[in-house]
Amino acid sequence: MNVRFYVWQRLTAAIMAPLAFAHLIVIFYATRHGLSAAEILGRTRGSAAWAAFYGLFVAAIAVHVPIGLRTVLIEWTSLRRRHCNMAALAFGLLLAVIGLRAVAAVVLP
Amino acid sequence: MAAPLDVLLWRGGSNGRYQIYEVPRRENQTVLDVVTWVQRHLDATLSYRFACRVGMCGSCAMTVNGRPRWTCRTHVSKVAGGGRLTIGPIENLPVIKDLAVDMTAFFAKWQAANGVFAPSATRAAPIARIAPGKASRRAADAAIECINCAVCYAACDTVRWNPAYLGPAALNRAWTLLNDERDAGNAKRLAVIADDGGCYVCHSHQSCQEHCPVGLNPTASIAGLKRRAMAAYLKGKIGS
């Protein structure tokens, strides 16, 4: 971990904290009001606001998680530093792809 | 007369084993006294390190019943529950023989962290006047009494997991210099401690301050370094 990773990890954590809280409220609202999948998709599809909300969430996660994972790999495995970097980067890209794919599935009209 | 102590001492190198010795129990007996008694009366080949015997030199750190301690100031009566002592070399440094470890990596990291004072004036200059109440001086004073015993280094899980980590003692030293107005080496020092292996490796487990025999708080020093290095990075004074 160096100062660059530290700043990005703290910055993305600060972004994720309110987004995670809002996400929990959304889940709570949807279940309390018995919204069906179709009703939820009716509200999210074509919505730039939901696309921005969950797009930002995914982007923050795709930056935050690999930084922490890199530290775990360095400290808990015997992998070389370069391999830890590559594995963490690959996992971040995977999170970005599957996350943005999920966002696209609920917001694209 | 109290029953003798059962003392398990580490013998050999890293592949050694514990060997049991019987040592007479005395009043006001330190763990270092016990080790010395074994060396003087039972086995002269026992290797260990000490110098001052009064908690100044930082030479006699060992693992006592699972905890790193300064043995010259650790009384047997406080640690020998059940009349048994297990004494080994400190962790996180290679064992040379018996209770003596190779401190090279520990001191090399002090150097790597720029733990050497970099003067900003010559000896001909007048003595710097720094008010005792000044915040930077208070921060330096709070961390300055380190005796280089490596107890914090031995207690640190992060050192164990990441050999590149500079460790609490070297970073604590860097913090004292960072707060020393007379020092001129802080740009270089900040760049090193902000990089891989520096202060951001610390997980704030606080084992260093829990075990520090002189009651310092290296975790707080490292937290200060994190804040100072981040500010320098955001202002573009250091890169990484």
Side-chain angles (χ1 to χ4, degrees), chain B residues 94-163:
Chain B
V95 182
I96 298 173
K97 179 176 172 286
D98 304 337
L99 304 171
V101 296
D102 182 354
M103 306 279 284
T104 305
F106 176 72
F107 290 115
K109 287 178 178 179
W110 277 61
Q111 299 285 335
N114 285 276
V116 179
F117 177 68
S120 57
T122 67
R123 65 179 61 201
I127 293 171
R129 296 177 67 87
I130 302 167
K134 202 167 181 181
S136 58
R137 176 157 179 179
R138 288 209 310 273
D141 284 350
I144 201 69
E145 297 291 349
C146 175
I147 58 169
N148 316 352
C149 64
V151 161
C152 59
Y153 192 85
C156 179
D157 288 330
T158 316
V159 169
R160 185 190 314 271
W161 298 331
N162 185 350

Side-chain angles (χ1 to χ4, degrees), chain A residues 31-95:
Chain A
T31 51
R32 291 283 291 176
H33 289 79
L35 295 183
S36 67
E39 286 171 320
I40 292 171
L41 288 174
R43 297 177 190 206
T44 58
R45 284 200 164 142
S47 166
W50 285 120
F53 180 88
Y54 280 110
L56 181 62
F57 207 162
V58 168
I61 288 168
V63 172
H64 186 89
V65 172
I67 294 172
L69 180 65
R70 176 180 176 271
T71 299
V72 172
L73 292 174
I74 289 170
E75 293 183 356
W76 287 70
T77 71
S78 54
L79 291 174
R80 290 171 187 271
R81 184 64 58 94
R82 194 164 62 90
H83 294 153
C84 294
N85 291 342
M86 286 163 57
L89 180 65
F91 191 69
L93 289 172
L94 177 70
L95 286 177

Side-chain angles (χ1 to χ4, degrees), chain B residues 166-189:
Chain B
L166 292 171
L171 291 171
N172 183 72
R173 171 63 180 162
W175 174 244
T176 62
L177 291 170
L178 210 64
N179 285 290
D180 190 333
E181 287 180 22
R182 305 164 302 161
D183 186 276
N186 279 333
K188 198 174 158 196
R189 190 172 294 121

Side-chain angles (χ1 to χ4, degrees), chain A residues 1-4 6 70 75, chain B residues 161 194 196 200 203 233 240:
Chain A
M1 180 76 90
N2 57 38
V3 67
R4 184 163 50 95
Y6 181 82
R70 176 180 176 271
E75 293 183 356
Chain B
W161 298 331
D196 276 325
Y200 297 106
H203 292 296
Y233 175 70
S240 187

Side-chain angles (χ1 to χ4, degrees), chain B residues 163-217:
Chain B
Y165 177 41
L166 292 171
L171 291 171
N172 183 72
R173 171 63 180 162
W175 174 244
T176 62
L177 291 170
L178 210 64
N179 285 290
D180 190 333
E181 287 180 22
R182 305 164 302 161
D183 186 276
N186 279 333
K188 198 174 158 196
R189 190 172 294 121
L190 267 176
V192 171
I193 61 176
D195 206 349
D196 276 325
C199 63
Y200 297 106
V201 176
C202 172
H203 292 296
S204 305
H205 290 159
Q206 303 187 52
S207 294
C208 50
Q209 66 140 328
E210 166 71 20
H211 291 85
C212 177
V214 289
L216 302 185
N217 187 349

